[in-house]
Amino acid sequence: MVDPFNDVNDTIVAWAKRHGFQLMQDASYRAIYMGSEHECCQIWIEPPAAGTIQLHAADVESIDDEEMRADWSCTPQTLSLALDRAVAHVKTWFNRHRAQT
């Protein structure tokens, strides 16, 4: 069986290593978890399809059970930048309560 992530695995592994994430993976997705003092979010990557990759971020545990989700599309060539932007986006979620105090 051919790994649908074959062409982008190196990019994903390098991104996870650069940020110190533990990468979870199977044939249908790649995912990491990010945590703050009070919250946890997941970023996951769907297999490339027709030259497009779908990225998603969502809360796993959030303050006041707030629901958070964001979705992006990118190409294999822009995957590294899109993944870094997803991390930055999740960090804004973690910092949103600090801005209110």
Side-chain angles (χ1 to χ4, degrees):
M1 181 173 156
V2 175
D3 180 357
F5 288 94
N6 193 47
D7 293 339
V8 294
N9 268 330
D10 289 346
T11 300
I12 296 168
V13 169
W15 164 75
K17 185 177 282 191
R18 186 170 61 251
H19 289 281
F21 298 139
Q22 181 178 353
L23 184 63
M24 276 134 304
Q25 56 188 339
D26 71 14
S28 62
Y29 76 95
R30 301 292 189 263
I32 62 93
Y33 289 92
M34 290 179 63
S36 71
E37 185 177 345
H38 301 288
E39 298 181 296
C40 179
C41 291
Q42 181 185 50
I43 296 174
W44 70 99
I45 309 151
E46 293 183 29
T52 302
I53 301 168
Q54 301 297 318
L55 305 176
H56 312 278
D59 65 289
V60 175
E61 184 68 36
S62 63
I63 296 172
D64 298 327
D65 293 324
E66 184 177 359
E67 291 188 24
M68 300 175 287
R69 179 164 173 148
D71 304 286
W72 302 271
S73 294
C74 67
T75 65
Q77 295 79 17
T78 61
L79 177 60
S80 182
L81 178 60
L83 288 166
D84 285 340
R85 286 183 175 165
V87 169
H89 190 84
V90 169
K91 287 179 179 180
T92 66
W93 289 342
F94 292 159
N95 291 324
R96 72 195 181 287
H97 291 286
R98 287 187 197 158
Q100 296 172 0
T101 57

